[in-house]
């Protein structure tokens, strides 16, 4: 018997379009023998647009077409409808960045006792905040790249002062980062005061904090682990990311 799943797409973050592209892949590969799929478009202003019917296999979902949805809802109203009318039993949040990966949506779903794929509210909030992530990893004794963590918020940062302090602390090249953003949005390699000033200009007013980490050369390896809700831990195969070398 198929289970009803809501797939959340879009959202308020700068990675709205990336989320829609990811969702297209998810909708294409979800096995309709096991799942009845209810796409939910999250617009850039915080409105939720649940589909009025399950998306059939091979069906085309046009997220910004209002004829495909029950209409714009507040988040709580949309979840009420998904539970009461679509009988959704699990949520797959295919969301990137703030208001999607940062624990906000996960916390809302937890209030409804509605299971979701991925990390819960607390883990999502910590992992999204790069400075808090550093603190957690440091407390566990995990080696990290050297960092410069300024006291001055991004809104008041002076490029000349901060570049000199960063240069003394970790040297250059360094990677400067905003505190809470997904993927590589808000991450920039800097080697000069001018590049740091450009970074400040681009992200000032959009993010509250920033910091810098020493550049390290090495391999990027990801090892996903399942079962952290009390089950037996199950590590999945390591995944390496390697740039293609032009022939």
């Amino acid at each position: 018997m198929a289970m009803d799943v809501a797939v959340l797409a879009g959202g308020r973050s700068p990675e709205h379009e990336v989320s829609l592209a990811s969702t297209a892949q998810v909708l294409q590969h979800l096995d309709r023998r096991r799942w009845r799929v209810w796409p939910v478009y999250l617009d850039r202003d915080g409105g939720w647009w649940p589909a009025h019917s399950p998306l059939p296999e091979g069906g085309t979902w046009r997220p910004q077409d209002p004829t495909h949805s029950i209409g714009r809802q507040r988040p709580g109203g949309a979840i009420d409808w998904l539970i009461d009318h679509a009988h959704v039993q699990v949520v797959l949040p295919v969301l990137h960045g703030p208001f999607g990966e940062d624990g906000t949506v996960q916390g809302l779903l937890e209030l409804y006792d509605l299971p979701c794929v991925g990390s819960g509210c607390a883990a999502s909030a910590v992992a999204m905040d790069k400075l808090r992530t550093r603190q957690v990893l440091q407390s566990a004794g995990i080696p990290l790249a050297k960092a410069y963590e300024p006291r001055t918020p991004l809104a008041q940062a002076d490029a000349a002062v901060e570049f000199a302090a960063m240069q003394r602390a970790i040297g250059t090249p360094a990677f400067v980062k905003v505190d809470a953003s997904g993927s590589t949005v808000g991450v920039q390699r800097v080697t000069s005061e001018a590049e740091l000033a450009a970074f400040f200009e681009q992200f000032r007013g959009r993010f509250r904090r920033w910091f810098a980490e020493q550049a390290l050369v090495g391999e990027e390896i990801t090892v996903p682990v399942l079962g952290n809700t009390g089950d037996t831990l199950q590590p999945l195969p390591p995944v390496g990311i390697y740039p293609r070398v032009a022939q």
Side-chain angles (χ1 to χ4, degrees), residues 226-245:
L226 302 179
N228 61 341
T229 57
D231 298 330
T232 301
L233 295 180
Q234 179 186 354
L236 301 182
V239 177
I241 300 177
Y242 304 96
R244 290 187 176 182
V245 178

PDB file of all heavy atoms in Angstrom, residues 226-245:
ATOM      1  N   LEU A 226      23.303   6.595   9.082  1.00  0.00           N
ATOM      2  CA  LEU A 226      21.886   6.433   9.395  1.00  0.00           C
ATOM      3  C   LEU A 226      21.737   5.832  10.792  1.00  0.00           C
ATOM      4  O   LEU A 226      22.654   5.202  11.317  1.00  0.00           O
ATOM      5  CB  LEU A 226      21.218   5.506   8.371  1.00  0.00           C
ATOM      6  CG  LEU A 226      21.299   5.914   6.899  1.00  0.00           C
ATOM      7  CD1 LEU A 226      20.611   4.864   6.031  1.00  0.00           C
ATOM      8  CD2 LEU A 226      20.681   7.284   6.676  1.00  0.00           C
ATOM      9  N   GLY A 227      20.553   6.028  11.373  1.00  0.00           N
ATOM     10  CA  GLY A 227      20.242   5.357  12.623  1.00  0.00           C
ATOM     11  C   GLY A 227      20.517   6.158  13.873  1.00  0.00           C
ATOM     12  O   GLY A 227      20.676   5.582  14.951  1.00  0.00           O
ATOM     13  N   ASN A 228      20.576   7.470  13.771  1.00  0.00           N
ATOM     14  CA  ASN A 228      20.907   8.267  14.949  1.00  0.00           C
ATOM     15  C   ASN A 228      19.690   8.618  15.801  1.00  0.00           C
ATOM     16  O   ASN A 228      19.740   9.520  16.626  1.00  0.00           O
ATOM     17  CB  ASN A 228      21.635   9.554  14.545  1.00  0.00           C
ATOM     18  CG  ASN A 228      20.791  10.439  13.645  1.00  0.00           C
ATOM     19  OD1 ASN A 228      19.827   9.977  13.044  1.00  0.00           O
ATOM     20  ND2 ASN A 228      21.156  11.704  13.562  1.00  0.00           N
ATOM     21  N   THR A 229      18.588   7.903  15.618  1.00  0.00           N
ATOM     22  CA  THR A 229      17.404   8.125  16.459  1.00  0.00           C
ATOM     23  C   THR A 229      17.217   6.987  17.454  1.00  0.00           C
ATOM     24  O   THR A 229      16.116   6.769  17.959  1.00  0.00           O
ATOM     25  CB  THR A 229      16.144   8.258  15.587  1.00  0.00           C
ATOM     26  OG1 THR A 229      16.004   7.085  14.771  1.00  0.00           O
ATOM     27  CG2 THR A 229      16.221   9.482  14.700  1.00  0.00           C
ATOM     28  N   GLY A 230      18.294   6.260  17.729  1.00  0.00           N
ATOM     29  CA  GLY A 230      18.217   5.158  18.680  1.00  0.00           C
ATOM     30  C   GLY A 230      18.442   3.815  18.041  1.00  0.00           C
ATOM     31  O   GLY A 230      18.602   2.808  18.740  1.00  0.00           O
ATOM     32  N   ASP A 231      18.464   3.764  16.708  1.00  0.00           N
ATOM     33  CA  ASP A 231      18.714   2.508  16.008  1.00  0.00           C
ATOM     34  C   ASP A 231      20.228   2.240  15.949  1.00  0.00           C
ATOM     35  O   ASP A 231      21.042   3.070  16.343  1.00  0.00           O
ATOM     36  CB  ASP A 231      18.154   2.571  14.583  1.00  0.00           C
ATOM     37  CG  ASP A 231      16.654   2.777  14.564  1.00  0.00           C
ATOM     38  OD1 ASP A 231      15.998   2.310  15.519  1.00  0.00           O
ATOM     39  OD2 ASP A 231      16.159   3.431  13.627  1.00  0.00           O
ATOM     40  N   THR A 232      20.582   1.098  15.430  1.00  0.00           N
ATOM     41  CA  THR A 232      21.993   0.782  15.232  1.00  0.00           C
ATOM     42  C   THR A 232      22.565   1.690  14.156  1.00  0.00           C
ATOM     43  O   THR A 232      21.976   1.853  13.082  1.00  0.00           O
ATOM     44  CB  THR A 232      22.150  -0.693  14.800  1.00  0.00           C
ATOM     45  OG1 THR A 232      21.592  -1.536  15.806  1.00  0.00           O
ATOM     46  CG2 THR A 232      23.621  -1.033  14.604  1.00  0.00           C
ATOM     47  N   LEU A 233      23.715   2.319  14.444  1.00  0.00           N
ATOM     48  CA  LEU A 233      24.320   3.227  13.478  1.00  0.00           C
ATOM     49  C   LEU A 233      24.789   2.453  12.250  1.00  0.00           C
ATOM     50  O   LEU A 233      25.396   1.392  12.362  1.00  0.00           O
ATOM     51  CB  LEU A 233      25.492   3.966  14.113  1.00  0.00           C
ATOM     52  CG  LEU A 233      25.142   4.913  15.265  1.00  0.00           C
ATOM     53  CD1 LEU A 233      26.398   5.578  15.803  1.00  0.00           C
ATOM     54  CD2 LEU A 233      24.153   5.969  14.812  1.00  0.00           C
ATOM     55  N   GLN A 234      24.499   3.013  11.086  1.00  0.00           N
ATOM     56  CA  GLN A 234      24.857   2.360   9.828  1.00  0.00           C
ATOM     57  C   GLN A 234      25.579   3.363   8.929  1.00  0.00           C
ATOM     58  O   GLN A 234      24.941   4.192   8.286  1.00  0.00           O
ATOM     59  CB  GLN A 234      23.611   1.827   9.114  1.00  0.00           C
ATOM     60  CG  GLN A 234      23.928   1.161   7.775  1.00  0.00           C
ATOM     61  CD  GLN A 234      22.664   0.770   7.029  1.00  0.00           C
ATOM     62  OE1 GLN A 234      21.558   0.891   7.540  1.00  0.00           O
ATOM     63  NE2 GLN A 234      22.838   0.305   5.795  1.00  0.00           N
ATOM     64  N   PRO A 235      26.929   3.307   8.873  1.00  0.00           N
ATOM     65  CA  PRO A 235      27.648   4.208   7.959  1.00  0.00           C
ATOM     66  C   PRO A 235      27.465   3.762   6.517  1.00  0.00           C
ATOM     67  O   PRO A 235      27.496   2.570   6.209  1.00  0.00           O
ATOM     68  CB  PRO A 235      29.100   4.070   8.412  1.00  0.00           C
ATOM     69  CG  PRO A 235      29.175   2.721   9.044  1.00  0.00           C
ATOM     70  CD  PRO A 235      27.829   2.463   9.668  1.00  0.00           C
ATOM     71  N   LEU A 236      27.252   4.707   5.650  1.00  0.00           N
ATOM     72  CA  LEU A 236      27.128   4.436   4.224  1.00  0.00           C
ATOM     73  C   LEU A 236      28.498   4.591   3.560  1.00  0.00           C
ATOM     74  O   LEU A 236      29.433   5.117   4.173  1.00  0.00           O
ATOM     75  CB  LEU A 236      26.109   5.389   3.602  1.00  0.00           C
ATOM     76  CG  LEU A 236      24.695   5.328   4.192  1.00  0.00           C
ATOM     77  CD1 LEU A 236      23.776   6.296   3.456  1.00  0.00           C
ATOM     78  CD2 LEU A 236      24.125   3.923   4.155  1.00  0.00           C
ATOM     79  N   PRO A 237      28.649   4.145   2.336  1.00  0.00           N
ATOM     80  CA  PRO A 237      29.964   4.232   1.686  1.00  0.00           C
ATOM     81  C   PRO A 237      30.453   5.674   1.600  1.00  0.00           C
ATOM     82  O   PRO A 237      29.661   6.590   1.344  1.00  0.00           O
ATOM     83  CB  PRO A 237      29.696   3.654   0.286  1.00  0.00           C
ATOM     84  CG  PRO A 237      28.508   2.774   0.463  1.00  0.00           C
ATOM     85  CD  PRO A 237      27.652   3.437   1.498  1.00  0.00           C
ATOM     86  N   PRO A 238      31.759   5.890   1.803  1.00  0.00           N
ATOM     87  CA  PRO A 238      32.319   7.244   1.658  1.00  0.00           C
ATOM     88  C   PRO A 238      32.136   7.766   0.232  1.00  0.00           C
ATOM     89  O   PRO A 238      32.185   7.011  -0.737  1.00  0.00           O
ATOM     90  CB  PRO A 238      33.804   7.067   1.992  1.00  0.00           C
ATOM     91  CG  PRO A 238      33.877   5.791   2.772  1.00  0.00           C
ATOM     92  CD  PRO A 238      32.784   4.918   2.235  1.00  0.00           C
ATOM     93  N   VAL A 239      31.912   9.071   0.141  1.00  0.00           N
ATOM     94  CA  VAL A 239      31.736   9.723  -1.156  1.00  0.00           C
ATOM     95  C   VAL A 239      32.805  10.805  -1.279  1.00  0.00           C
ATOM     96  O   VAL A 239      32.936  11.669  -0.399  1.00  0.00           O
ATOM     97  CB  VAL A 239      30.331  10.351  -1.287  1.00  0.00           C
ATOM     98  CG1 VAL A 239      30.206  11.084  -2.610  1.00  0.00           C
ATOM     99  CG2 VAL A 239      29.255   9.281  -1.163  1.00  0.00           C
ATOM    100  N   GLY A 240      33.573  10.758  -2.356  1.00  0.00           N
ATOM    101  CA  GLY A 240      34.583  11.783  -2.618  1.00  0.00           C
ATOM    102  C   GLY A 240      34.155  12.696  -3.734  1.00  0.00           C
ATOM    103  O   GLY A 240      33.469  12.272  -4.679  1.00  0.00           O
ATOM    104  N   ILE A 241      34.494  13.981  -3.628  1.00  0.00           N
ATOM    105  CA  ILE A 241      34.181  14.963  -4.675  1.00  0.00           C
ATOM    106  C   ILE A 241      35.496  15.414  -5.286  1.00  0.00           C
ATOM    107  O   ILE A 241      36.355  15.976  -4.597  1.00  0.00           O
ATOM    108  CB  ILE A 241      33.404  16.160  -4.106  1.00  0.00           C
ATOM    109  CG1 ILE A 241      32.073  15.670  -3.496  1.00  0.00           C
ATOM    110  CG2 ILE A 241      33.157  17.212  -5.182  1.00  0.00           C
ATOM    111  CD1 ILE A 241      31.271  16.778  -2.848  1.00  0.00           C
ATOM    112  N   TYR A 242      35.634  15.199  -6.591  1.00  0.00           N
ATOM    113  CA  TYR A 242      36.878  15.519  -7.280  1.00  0.00           C
ATOM    114  C   TYR A 242      36.596  16.346  -8.532  1.00  0.00           C
ATOM    115  O   TYR A 242      35.701  15.988  -9.318  1.00  0.00           O
ATOM    116  CB  TYR A 242      37.624  14.238  -7.666  1.00  0.00           C
ATOM    117  CG  TYR A 242      37.904  13.336  -6.482  1.00  0.00           C
ATOM    118  CD1 TYR A 242      37.046  12.273  -6.168  1.00  0.00           C
ATOM    119  CD2 TYR A 242      39.007  13.552  -5.670  1.00  0.00           C
ATOM    120  CE1 TYR A 242      37.291  11.459  -5.069  1.00  0.00           C
ATOM    121  CE2 TYR A 242      39.265  12.754  -4.575  1.00  0.00           C
ATOM    122  CZ  TYR A 242      38.404  11.699  -4.282  1.00  0.00           C
ATOM    123  OH  TYR A 242      38.654  10.910  -3.184  1.00  0.00           O
ATOM    124  N   PRO A 243      37.315  17.440  -8.734  1.00  0.00           N
ATOM    125  CA  PRO A 243      37.113  18.239  -9.949  1.00  0.00           C
ATOM    126  C   PRO A 243      37.578  17.493 -11.179  1.00  0.00           C
ATOM    127  O   PRO A 243      38.554  16.724 -11.136  1.00  0.00           O
ATOM    128  CB  PRO A 243      37.968  19.488  -9.702  1.00  0.00           C
ATOM    129  CG  PRO A 243      39.026  19.034  -8.736  1.00  0.00           C
ATOM    130  CD  PRO A 243      38.379  17.994  -7.871  1.00  0.00           C
ATOM    131  N   ARG A 244      36.878  17.685 -12.264  1.00  0.00           N
ATOM    132  CA  ARG A 244      37.301  17.090 -13.531  1.00  0.00           C
ATOM    133  C   ARG A 244      38.447  17.892 -14.121  1.00  0.00           C
ATOM    134  O   ARG A 244      38.417  19.123 -14.117  1.00  0.00           O
ATOM    135  CB  ARG A 244      36.143  17.061 -14.516  1.00  0.00           C
ATOM    136  CG  ARG A 244      35.050  16.066 -14.160  1.00  0.00           C
ATOM    137  CD  ARG A 244      34.035  15.977 -15.284  1.00  0.00           C
ATOM    138  NE  ARG A 244      33.012  14.972 -15.026  1.00  0.00           N
ATOM    139  CZ  ARG A 244      32.028  14.681 -15.872  1.00  0.00           C
ATOM    140  NH1 ARG A 244      31.940  15.342 -17.027  1.00  0.00           N
ATOM    141  NH2 ARG A 244      31.146  13.752 -15.567  1.00  0.00           N
ATOM    142  N   VAL A 245      39.445  17.194 -14.610  1.00  0.00           N
ATOM    143  CA  VAL A 245      40.587  17.853 -15.232  1.00  0.00           C
ATOM    144  C   VAL A 245      40.374  17.865 -16.733  1.00  0.00           C
ATOM    145  O   VAL A 245      40.133  16.820 -17.349  1.00  0.00           O
ATOM    146  CB  VAL A 245      41.901  17.124 -14.878  1.00  0.00           C
ATOM    147  CG1 VAL A 245      43.074  17.808 -15.573  1.00  0.00           C
ATOM    148  CG2 VAL A 245      42.079  17.079 -13.364  1.00  0.00           C
TER     149      VAL A 245
END
